[in-house]
Amino acid sequence: MDTGEGLASKIFEYAKRIPAVKRRVDAEYAKMMGDLRAAAKPYGDEFPSCATLPEEGREHAEILAQMQAFREREASRWQDGYVSGAVYHGDPEHIALMEKAYSLHSQTNPLHSDLWPSITKYEAEVVSMTAKMLGADLAGDDAEVCGAISSGGTESILLAMKTYRDQARAERGVTRPNIVAPISAHAAFDKAARYFGIELRKIHTGPDFRADLRAMRRAVDRNTICLVGSAPCFPHGVIDPITELAELALAKGVGLHVDACLGGFVLPWAKQLGYDVPDFDFRVPGVTSMSADTHKYGYAAKGTSVVLYRSKALRRHQWFTLTDWPGGIYFSPTFAGSRSGGVSAACWAAMQSMGRKGYLDASKAIVETGQAIRRGIADIPQLKVLGDPLWVISFAASDPAALDIYRVSDAMSHRRWNLNGLHRPPCVHIAVTLRHTQEGVVERFLADLRESVAEVEASGASSSEGGMAPVYGLAGTIPARGAVSDLLELYLDALYEV
Ligand SMILES: Cc1ncc(COP(=O)(O)O)c(C=O)c1O
């Protein structure tokens, strides 16, 4: 079936064969590439490129001086609380603990579990602590919640989707698998679908931006391997109706993956604090797997996440074993072969240093800050908050024809802010972290937002929201028509240019 997007892309490809159109598009792309490249490669001649190996090894002090310079230049925006998400804790003492833990274990590789049993111990404990936080002990007598450490949210999701695919093939003979997920589910589900030959059925969300149950139900068939819900979803920070999705999954005899990459380390504590958090974890019968990112609100350094399963039998489908390789009988739990044990050590150290009280206090501060930001945005008549979020607050223009939310976001960028641009519908979000709980950050955010709205209004610029789209992880927008993928591929090429 051709999607509207696919059709638009084909028309665009066809139009590009007309020389005049091609020239215009190429010129436009060249400009956009220039802008994108300038943002990603700002160092120029100041730090000359090292395209080939130095003839002689350089002095350690010289190498470290360059790195120190980069670190200082790149720290101030996130340190001062101008960045949505990205660095979730960021306190210098906490960072020092991560760095020390990493350096103590920098030479380890958990693929050699007999050489470094400490890493195996850390990883088992990180999984156990996370599972217990997410209702493992209350999951019922037949549950044996278990899991594995991955390199990040995307890998946890990829692993779970591969696991369901292999389970469905082994147990039900499914050869043309599909996943049913709300459109708000993270891009990692698309990635999993493309990598593993699974069809992803993306289902529209309701007016509250949560999964539409009836539409999800209609999309399930006998080739469905699992349903997906988010707690909360990345775009609008809202929690899908997990209990209802779990009932549907049980009724249809399929799994339900709850993506709590963003919320796994906040929601349990927010619930305990009395915020309106529906059940979302293994307490809900029918939730068969979860992803929860230690490297986000678990406050570990980047490079770890936890994927959890309700049963060991399900997790078995994740494992990789190979018995006939001349290199020896081989096995590994995740996609990587050799990997760093240092990041797992740092993750364990983060969790030990936070403790239950630390997570509770951090979640309190974050959700209170999120709610203050939400109230402040609601008080700006030209803006509206989308859905019913706790700490990932997305907002749009009250009248998109009168105000271009992307121009507002640009105006915020000129005031040092780095927010996440979103589309379908056009909006922007801020994922509140501990950085935003610092004194004065909320007031500064709201004052800058009010000023930015006024500035865009005063400029009289017409809204071009409809024709433009934000790019994940980059400031600004690009034209939202077919062949954007070409540009992104060029950009990825450019990232590896020295
Ligand atoms: C809900 C959700 N799922 C998955 C991911 C992917 O995580 P990562 O970027 O660590 O791969 C994210 C990242 O923001 C997320 O918000």
Side-chain angles (χ1 to χ4, degrees):
M1 190 180 68
D2 206 350
T3 61
E5 203 172 342
L7 192 63
S9 173
K10 280 195 187 125
I11 294 170
F12 185 70
E13 279 307 308
Y14 187 74
K16 256 197 342 184
R17 289 193 209 146
I18 304 165
V21 174
K22 186 175 182 316
R23 271 197 303 278
R24 225 192 57 219
V25 169
D26 286 349
E28 210 173 88
Y29 272 17
K31 157 136 187 29
M32 280 189 282
M33 276 301 296
D35 294 348
L36 292 173
R37 198 181 267 137
K41 309 263 173 184
Y43 291 118
D45 295 339
E46 193 185 348
F47 294 98
S49 293
C50 306
T52 51
L53 279 171
E55 204 47 51
E56 302 271 342
R58 290 163 66 190
E59 291 297 328
H60 291 190
E62 185 194 329
I63 296 168
L64 292 173
Q66 174 172 344
M67 291 180 161
Q68 186 63 30
F70 288 152
R71 178 176 170 137
E72 276 158 24
R73 280 194 204 191
E74 294 171 4
S76 80
R77 275 221 286 180
W78 66 257
Q79 257 167 4
D80 297 345
Y82 281 99
V83 177
S84 168
V87 177
Y88 295 81
H89 193 299
D91 182 71
E93 262 182 54
H94 185 78
I95 295 173
L97 173 69
M98 304 289 93
E99 291 174 354
K100 184 78 185 156
Y102 180 87
S103 69
L104 287 169
H105 294 280
S106 69
Q107 299 308 300
T108 64
N109 176 1
L111 201 60
H112 301 277
S113 51
D114 56 348
L115 277 182
W116 290 291
S118 57
I119 305 300
T120 307
K121 179 172 157 61
Y122 295 144
E123 294 194 341
E125 290 173 8
V126 166
V127 169
S128 172
M129 289 186 279
T130 308
K132 292 209 158 67
M133 185 184 69
L134 294 173
D137 287 342
L138 304 165
D141 291 342
D142 54 342
E144 39 179 12
V145 178
C146 56
I149 299 275
S150 78
S151 62
T154 298
E155 190 184 351
S156 287
I157 290 168
L158 293 179
L159 286 165
M161 296 305 108
K162 181 214 94 80
T163 296
Y164 284 117
R165 184 199 65 178
D166 291 358
Q167 179 202 33
R169 187 160 42 195
E171 296 178 6
R172 290 158 47 206
V174 173
T175 52
R176 301 180 64 190
N178 69 67
I179 300 166
V180 177
I183 188 144
S184 52
H186 193 268
F189 291 95
D190 287 80
K191 203 175 203 181
R194 284 200 217 164
Y195 281 4
F196 305 137
I198 306 172
E199 178 196 351
L200 180 59
R201 298 189 171 167
K202 291 205 261 190
I203 312 301
H204 62 81
T205 46
D208 55 1
F209 298 94
R210 299 159 76 230
D212 180 324
L213 261 170
R214 284 176 54 180
M216 297 264 295
R217 181 178 294 117
R218 280 198 299 273
V220 177
D221 64 18
R222 61 200 171 82
N223 289 322
T224 301
I225 57 169
C226 72
L227 309 182
V228 173
S230 306
C233 68
F234 172 81
H236 311 113
V238 296
I239 305 168
D240 286 322
I242 300 301
T243 303
E244 293 80 355
L245 285 172
E247 281 165 10
L248 174 60
L250 282 174
K252 298 283 184 184
V254 298
L256 170 64
H257 181 84
V258 175
D259 178 16
C261 280
L262 203 50
F265 282 82
V266 178
L267 292 177
W269 314 107
K271 197 172 172 74
Q272 199 168 312
L273 290 162
Y275 284 98
D276 185 16
V277 175
D279 288 341
F280 70 98
D281 61 17
F282 286 106
R283 266 165 276 217
V284 181
V287 171
T288 46
S289 61
M290 294 188 74
S291 38
D293 282 359
T294 37
H295 74 186
K296 293 191 176 74
Y297 293 96
Y299 308 119
K302 278 285 175 271
T304 61
S305 164
V306 175
V307 57
L308 295 168
Y309 299 99
R310 181 172 282 271
S311 73
K312 288 187 180 157
L314 179 56
R315 185 178 61 176
R316 279 284 169 83
H317 294 283
Q318 181 183 303
W319 298 157
F320 178 82
T321 61
L322 176 67
T323 53
D324 63 357
W325 183 42
I329 292 175
Y330 184 95
F331 62 110
S332 75
T334 57
F335 296 130
S338 292
R339 61 195 171 87
S340 159
V343 290
S344 293
C347 174
W348 183 87
M351 293 176 81
Q352 289 296 303
S353 93
M354 292 297 294
R356 296 176 66 84
K357 172 89 167 58
Y359 285 116
L360 187 79
D361 292 348
S363 300
K364 183 169 190 293
I366 284 173
V367 178
E368 278 175 2
T369 303
Q371 293 304 297
I373 286 180
R374 177 182 172 166
R375 284 191 299 274
I377 296 172
D379 281 344
I380 303 175
Q382 297 92 330
L383 299 178
K384 64 172 183 209
V385 171
L386 302 185
D388 184 14
L390 283 171
W391 75 98
V392 178
I393 314 293
S394 75
F395 53 98
S398 305
D399 177 2
L403 182 77
D404 184 332
I405 196 68
Y406 299 141
R407 289 191 205 274
V408 174
S409 184
D410 286 345
M412 288 294 275
S413 302
H414 296 144
R415 291 168 173 78
R416 294 185 75 204
W417 290 92
N418 185 300
L419 305 176
N420 294 92
L422 315 160
H423 64 159
R424 300 162 188 242
C427 57
V428 173
H429 87 202
I430 177 165
V432 173
T433 70
L434 282 174
R435 297 286 86 206
H436 304 114
T437 66
Q438 298 176 93
E439 183 86 29
V441 174
V442 171
E443 293 72 20
R444 193 174 64 206
F445 173 79
L446 293 172
D448 285 347
L449 189 57
R450 281 189 292 268
E451 261 183 49
S452 297
V453 167
E455 181 185 302
V456 174
E457 274 192 323
S459 75
S462 62
S463 176
S464 60
E465 274 182 4
M468 303 299 284
V471 185
Y472 182 95
L474 296 174
T477 51
I478 60 175
R481 53 163 180 257
V484 168
S485 295
D486 289 356
L487 180 69
L488 298 178
E489 285 170 11
L490 287 174
Y491 183 66
L492 288 171
D493 290 343
L495 289 181
Y496 283 95
E497 283 164 14
V498 287

